[in-house]
Amino acid sequence: MPANLVRAARLEEREGVLKHRVFDKVPFDECYKNTGKAPIGTRWVGHNKGDKANPDIRCRWVGREFKGRDRDRDDLFAATPPLEAKKVLFAMAACQKGVHKSKLKKIGLIDIKKAYFHAEVKRLIYVELPEEFCEPGEYGHVCGRLNYSLYGTRDAASNWEECYGDALIEIGFKQGQSSPCIFHHPKRIYPL
């Protein structure tokens, strides 16, 4: 990947991290004092979403928190909608012949930019900071205490699920019984 485009993509990610106040900078000593161990390692992950002729470089700053001895913890699970749910929605939208325009069912797909950065952390997590987040002389002497979830930390997906679930319920959506990540709004969706 072209170095100048990677650098620009990292700067864009950095801006998003800082805008969302994902972490507070703290001395390494605080991490050791509160957790008894080093901060979680982090790294940059880059990807070209375009091609060689038209590169579209994206970079994401991610935690490197691997499964340890507690791999069977239930509280780290985040549900994914079953494929059948998507098929049913597409079938409902496709089979609307003769339905008045005002009652047509619509499918909306939403991509939340920097989604995990909206989900508060539920535990004390410290992460290493790359040079891009440090002032001259700070690198290696400070770490980040997370305020919001970082991709690659073990509970980031479940934190995000709770965040968007609470937001949808607050505006009147009902959570599905068969799948906790499928919601419906009784007044906004017309019955079949």
Side-chain angles (χ1 to χ4, degrees), residues 1-57:
M1 291 187 285
N4 62 325
L5 296 179
V6 170
R7 204 169 19 260
R10 285 185 181 184
L11 285 175
E12 182 184 334
E13 175 77 350
R14 179 185 184 275
E15 288 173 17
V17 168
L18 296 176
K19 176 185 170 191
H20 288 89
R21 291 194 56 249
V22 172
F23 67 88
D24 290 326
K25 237 185 251 187
V26 298
F28 263 95
D29 295 348
E30 180 181 317
C31 175
Y32 285 106
K33 178 183 170 193
N34 291 333
T35 66
K37 55 187 173 184
I40 295 167
T42 63
R43 64 178 294 208
W44 287 102
V45 175
H47 180 68
N48 183 0
K49 290 193 158 201
D51 55 31
K52 283 190 177 191
N54 300 299
D56 182 12
I57 307 298

Side-chain angles (χ1 to χ4, degrees), residues 81-96 105-107 109 178-179 182-184 189-192:
L83 180 58
E84 292 79 9
K86 190 190 304 185
K87 289 179 179 179
V88 167
L89 288 175
F90 283 124
M92 288 170 56
C95 297
Q96 298 184 77
K105 292 177 179 32
K106 298 176 185 175
I107 295 177
L109 301 175
S178 61
S179 177
I182 295 177
F183 293 80
H184 74 281
I189 297 176
Y190 298 98
L192 291 176

